[in-house]
Amino acid sequence: MPILTKDEAQALLKKVLSYSTADECEVNISGSDSGNIRYARNAVSTSGNVSETTLVVSSAYGKKLGTATINEFDDASLEKVVRRAEELARLAPENPEFVSFLEPQKYTESIMFVPATAAITPKQRTDAVAQSLQVSKDNKLVAAGFLEDSRGFSAMMNSKGLFAYNTSTDVNFSVTVRTADGTGSGYATRGYNDISKLDTKAATEIAAQKSMKSTNAKAIEPGKYTVILEPAAAAVLLERILFDLDARQADEGRSSFSKAGGQTRLGEKLMDERVTIYSDPLNPELPTSTWNNDGRPHEKTNWIEKGVVKNFSYSRYWALKKNVKAIPAPDSFIMEGGTKSLQDLIAGTKKGILVTRLWYIRDVDPQTLLLTGLTRDGTFYIENGKIQYPIKNFRFNESPIIMLNNLEELGKTERTVSVESNNSYLIPPLKIRDFTFTSLSDAI
């Protein structure tokens, strides 16, 4: 099914709602066309295109809710999915946390869609991958990577008259480059809405340099070190703070922002005053949807401001219970940075460790947001402002909240992609003191 225009989506959703006999009905539709190339051992292994569209109907009788999904769009199928949702609603028990669907809302126009990305051709895709592979071959290295671009739309309408529509484009690229003997490894990732910002050659050159420089790694003792986290490494830790900023979890004592006696840390200064984290759906470098999946508008929101916890996200039910504004969780976030480049941070470090990326992140203690994981694809020892030699990888145990209390410097903010969630963020490289490495890892 093609990407629907605003008028086409509106007409289709009106038709679906016309079949409804429930007290309330809400319909969501989303679709995307994407293309990809995967390569390994310096050769393309797979390529493909995926086109999918899904329609979800939610029907309510009082507090009884039923939901049904379909990917066929003839009239008979559309009526069938509505009847199925209504049937399930009648069978369902009452949901004590059900909140009636939203009235019409006002939305700003999203800026996520870039025509050049939507129009990418198979040749552009293969040329981009060829540039990456050439870097690896020229340096007698071995590369594996993945390039994916997509264009999509989403829309929703309900029986109260709410209608929302959004289009988006996206391109993600990641590459791992290893030495021929497998003893050195480097990594780079890039993600944009605008294909013109993607330079696969430059990204692969960074990964290739890390690969060649990470051979013959030395083992150093685990312990507390000053570290410089590149944005891709910082992303997998910082995003866990955002995931934890849920009001209900905090109120019920289930998060790192909870306090004894049913209190929370909202309004408390928990991090270095240089830490400001916010979301903005209209940021030109990181645009996101201007509405969330239940129809609430996304607005620019400060989550952490000068180290102080300023806002929690709320479900509509929990907001009503607490009599506060129902702030939706953001699709992404931006952390304010400084003026220094990554090289400047390295040059100003007497002794420390440069971390390319972290992976396999797991929870240790939700109450303190203590996490564990591993370094990989390029870990280096810094002394007197210069990278001296590669070191073996570590396992770490660290809380991003404690980490942001030990902040020494912030670099320039740049867009990166989390290897854990595949979400894009604007994050600076971070220089952190007393980062805890607990053991060595022999993995490359």
Side-chain angles (χ1 to χ4, degrees), residues 140-142 177-186 211-215:
K140 296 181 172 54
L141 302 170
V142 182
V177 180
R178 292 200 167 187
T179 55
D181 61 4
T183 61
S185 183
S211 172
M212 292 184 285
K213 291 178 179 179
S214 63
T215 59

Side-chain angles (χ1 to χ4, degrees), residues 108-236:
T108 52
E109 193 74 24
S110 170
I111 57 173
M112 295 177 71
F113 186 88
V114 178
T117 309
I120 188 172
T121 64
K123 185 178 187 308
Q124 285 177 282
R125 206 175 291 131
T126 54
D127 286 348
V129 168
Q131 291 174 7
S132 172
L133 287 171
Q134 195 61 51
V135 172
S136 177
K137 292 173 182 178
D138 288 347
N139 290 281
K140 296 181 172 54
L141 302 170
V142 182
F146 187 63
L147 173 67
E148 182 177 36
D149 57 86
S150 65
R151 61 189 185 102
F153 80 100
S154 56
M156 68 178 297
M157 183 181 288
N158 68 28
S159 51
K160 292 188 173 182
L162 179 144
F163 174 70
Y165 177 82
N166 183 62
T167 55
S168 63
T169 56
D170 190 59
V171 57
N172 280 331
F173 171 73
S174 62
V175 61
T176 301
V177 180
R178 292 200 167 187
T179 55
D181 61 4
T183 61
S185 183
Y187 175 82
T189 183
R190 300 289 185 269
Y192 304 101
N193 297 87
D194 186 350
I195 185 66
S196 68
K197 295 179 180 180
L198 176 64
D199 188 337
T200 56
K201 181 176 182 289
T204 307
E205 286 173 343
I206 292 171
Q209 288 297 315
K210 286 182 180 289
S211 172
M212 292 184 285
K213 291 178 179 179
S214 63
T215 59
N216 302 312
K218 299 180 181 181
I220 66 173
E221 286 296 315
K224 290 185 179 291
Y225 288 89
T226 294
V227 300
I228 297 174
L229 301 176
E230 294 193 17
V236 297

Side-chain angles (χ1 to χ4, degrees), residues 96-112:
E97 297 185 5
F98 175 78
V99 179
S100 183
F101 298 141
L102 279 173
E103 302 285 345
Q105 305 288 305
K106 291 183 179 180
Y107 307 108
T108 52
E109 193 74 24
S110 170
I111 57 173
M112 295 177 71

Side-chain angles (χ1 to χ4, degrees), residues 1 40 62 67 73 89 92 146 155 206 220 223 226 234 256 271-272 291 303 333 357 373 375 378 382 385-386 420 431:
M1 187 175 183
T67 301
F73 301 96
F146 187 63
I206 292 171
I220 66 173
T226 294
S256 59
M271 304 163 200
D272 188 284
W291 50 276
W303 302 96
F333 72 84
R357 74 168 174 134
T375 66
I382 303 166
K386 295 182 179 179
E420 293 287 314
K431 185 176 177 181

